[in-house]
Amino acid sequence: MGRRKLTRREFLRGAGAATAWAAGFSRWGIASAAADGVLDNTGLSFGCAAGDVTPTGAIVWLRAERESRVSVRYGKNPQLKEFAATQPISVTRDTDFAAKITLDRLEPATAYFYQAAVEGKKPGPVNRLTTAPRRDDAADVRFAFGGDTRQTYRPFSIMDSIRAMKPDFFVHLGDTIYADLDGRARTLDQYWAKYRTNRGDQPSQNLFSETSLYVIWDDHEVENNYHRLSPLAPVGRKAFFDYWPARQDPKEPDRLYRSVRWGKAVELFILDARQYRDREKATLLGQEQKRWFLDGLASSDAWFKFVATPMPFTSPNADKWGGFPDERNEVLSLIEKKKISGVAFLTADVHYAAVTRVPGSLGLKEIIVGPLAAQWDEKAAGTAKRFEFFKADIFNYGWVKVYGKSVQPYAEVEILGKDNEPLYKTKIEAS
């Protein structure tokens, strides 16, 4: 499918969203990254992005124009009149001049402002993130989730709609690029080029400048339905790590699955459903990740456990969890046996929006969203009995608001359309 031409209405709406976003930033008295020339003489090629935020830390991604020394300034003042700064590090061609810089010793549940600085250049535009609340804090939490951003569908105008909701964070559930479409990537340079194309999308930069990210991959970061032994998997994985603010454990540098707590209310389990799957051993997650996930789910005392899985948990498709029914049943058996409450599955991948009833008597639901910006699955009919809701002809995303301060905590999960029109809403109780 070729590049989709924008209608006049879509163009004007996108321009208006960018203007509104710039106005929003003006309330802090800082320059908008959407403004013309804002990166001139900074030595930076894109705006920054922050990710994997915790109560006391965050990862900041940046990209310089060439080999240079870079650092990050950060503080609580929107104009950064007072700030701390990280130690300068060198960026080289080995990472396509990109860098991930760790901020630590931050305060929980606090808004921080930050900017990248290249030695010898003026500092870059100011961005904003919010740290997670403490584990024992009964805080409200608001976040968005979605997936599937194919580069020929830029501008990803739905990102401005997400930004307008002011989420605490955004979860990208995979297919962040389409490496195998619109020119197939085979080399590291070609994978990098795909990421540069999407990172230059203005609505995405708008969103990334105001909130933080948790990102996982799916198959199109490598190639369609890629096998774990694909020779392209290490190349795609390196490019993914080079271009997203995802933490890397020095002891397990290839690991992408992780969990994060946002106060008493939320624990987010982010699963890697690609690089460990082994059909001979009937596992989607791999033994180590499965053990980590099941142990974490059973021991979590968060009121709500959101399972972020790149492809649908309920789908019968062999490439999804349906190809690994024993492992899916193992997850459901644990939830039933341990009486684990507040579980919901959040997913994307299939290019339609749906809510499905998870098999069994537990009353669990899976919320499927997307695409953010890709072709719709026009062949999907949504007539299967498992569907409670289905829509396959509109760009969309998921919105979660957890009322952690309520006497009886609860969560609302919605599916919103490209202009934030409500498509579906459900309530999840904490017990």
Side-chain angles (χ1 to χ4, degrees):
M1 184 178 297
R3 180 181 175 86
R4 183 176 64 86
K5 293 180 68 175
L6 293 177
T7 65
R8 175 176 173 80
R9 180 182 178 186
E10 287 173 322
F11 174 81
L12 292 174
R13 184 170 61 242
T19 301
W21 175 80
F25 249 49
S26 68
R27 69 182 180 273
W28 295 308
I30 56 183
S32 162
D36 290 340
V38 73
L39 293 179
D40 291 351
N41 302 316
T42 64
L44 300 167
S45 54
F46 299 110
C48 295
D52 280 19
V53 168
T54 69
T56 59
I59 304 294
V60 172
W61 177 93
L62 60 85
R63 184 180 185 269
E65 295 176 332
R66 57 184 60 88
E67 289 194 3
S68 50
R69 299 269 289 171
V70 299
S71 61
V72 173
R73 302 174 176 183
Y74 60 100
K76 299 177 186 177
N77 182 276
Q79 292 81 33
L80 290 179
K81 293 179 179 178
E82 297 181 358
F83 59 83
T86 63
Q87 289 294 319
I89 63 170
S90 296
V91 293
T92 68
R93 183 74 178 83
D94 291 343
T95 58
D96 201 31
F97 311 121
K100 293 188 294 187
I101 296 177
T102 301
L103 306 185
D104 53 21
R105 299 181 182 179
L106 305 182
E107 296 180 13
T110 301
Y112 279 90
F113 299 85
Y114 66 95
Q115 63 184 168
V118 176
E119 284 189 350
K121 301 288 185 178
K122 75 175 186 180
V126 177
N127 308 278
R128 183 180 185 271
L129 66 85
T130 300
T131 52
R134 292 184 179 88
R135 189 183 186 93
D136 60 354
D137 186 354
D140 294 339
V141 182
R142 300 152 51 95
F143 68 93
F145 64 99
D148 313 302
T149 44
R150 182 174 170 180
Q151 47 272 10
T152 49
Y153 282 73
R154 291 173 296 118
F156 304 149
S157 59
I158 198 169
M159 296 299 199
D160 278 324
S161 296
I162 297 172
R163 176 205 53 81
M165 297 292 287
K166 297 180 172 57
D168 294 320
F169 57 88
F170 171 64
V171 183
H172 200 312
L173 288 166
D175 292 343
T176 62
I177 60 167
Y178 281 67
D180 53 332
L181 296 175
D182 314 312
R184 188 179 182 190
R186 304 288 294 179
T187 68
L188 184 57
D189 281 336
Q190 291 168 343
Y191 278 97
W192 280 338
K194 297 277 190 177
Y195 282 102
R196 288 196 300 269
T197 296
N198 275 8
R199 194 51 55 87
D201 176 67
Q202 191 61 62
S204 296
Q205 289 198 37
N206 295 351
L207 176 64
F208 298 171
S209 292
E210 289 199 26
T211 192
S212 58
L213 313 171
Y214 299 97
V215 186
I216 192 63
W217 71 349
D218 197 11
D219 55 338
H220 288 289
E221 282 83 2
V222 177
E223 60 182 343
N224 189 43
N225 296 345
Y226 87 87
H227 188 274
R228 67 187 180 89
L229 299 179
S230 166
L232 291 176
V235 185
R237 183 172 55 233
K238 173 173 168 47
F240 179 92
F241 275 122
D242 286 340
Y243 266 83
W244 287 113
R247 292 179 187 274
Q248 286 179 270
D249 186 335
K251 297 180 180 179
E252 297 181 81
D254 296 340
R255 174 175 166 170
L256 273 165
Y257 63 89
R258 65 242 195 236
S259 65
V260 61
R261 279 292 291 263
W262 275 69
K264 285 185 176 181
V266 172
E267 183 154 12
L268 181 68
F269 293 91
I270 304 170
L271 304 183
D272 181 348
R274 283 293 167 189
Q275 68 173 324
Y276 306 111
R277 59 171 59 197
D278 188 333
R279 293 199 179 277
E280 293 184 359
K281 296 181 180 179
T283 179
L284 180 79
L285 301 178
Q287 294 305 313
E288 289 188 13
Q289 180 180 195
K290 182 174 71 172
R291 182 166 54 252
W292 164 86
F293 174 48
L294 295 180
D295 289 348
L297 198 60
S299 62
S300 177
D301 60 356
W303 295 328
F304 300 95
K305 298 88 173 171
F306 294 104
V307 180
T309 169
M311 75 280 300
F313 186 76
T314 56
S315 172
N317 188 297
D319 184 60
K320 320 304 181 191
W321 281 79
F324 305 86
D326 291 343
E327 192 157 83
R328 180 170 61 188
N329 290 338
E330 192 173 351
V331 173
L332 295 176
S333 294
L334 176 80
I335 294 172
E336 183 173 24
K337 180 180 179 180
K338 298 291 185 178
K339 296 181 173 58
I340 303 172
S341 61
V343 177
F345 297 86
L346 312 179
T347 189
D349 178 54
V350 287
H351 296 206
Y352 56 72
V355 176
T356 62
R357 304 175 186 89
V358 176
S361 59
L362 300 175
L364 302 177
K365 292 183 180 181
E366 174 177 43
I367 293 83
I368 303 170
V369 295
L372 291 165
Q375 67 276 23
W376 299 308
D377 187 352
E378 297 175 350
K379 296 181 180 179
T383 57
K385 291 183 178 180
R386 72 179 185 276
F387 289 120
E388 180 176 309
F389 168 83
F390 183 91
K391 193 167 182 60
D393 60 355
I394 187 171
F395 297 140
N396 62 89
Y397 69 96
W399 176 252
V400 179
K401 184 169 183 180
V402 177
Y403 295 84
K405 295 180 180 179
S406 175
V407 176
Q408 297 291 333
Y410 66 97
E412 291 178 344
V413 184
E414 296 182 78
I415 299 177
L416 301 178
K418 57 185 177 61
D419 295 316
N420 281 338
E421 64 272 33
L423 304 177
Y424 173 90
K425 185 174 183 178
T426 190
K427 182 177 179 180
I428 302 173
E429 302 288 352
S431 61

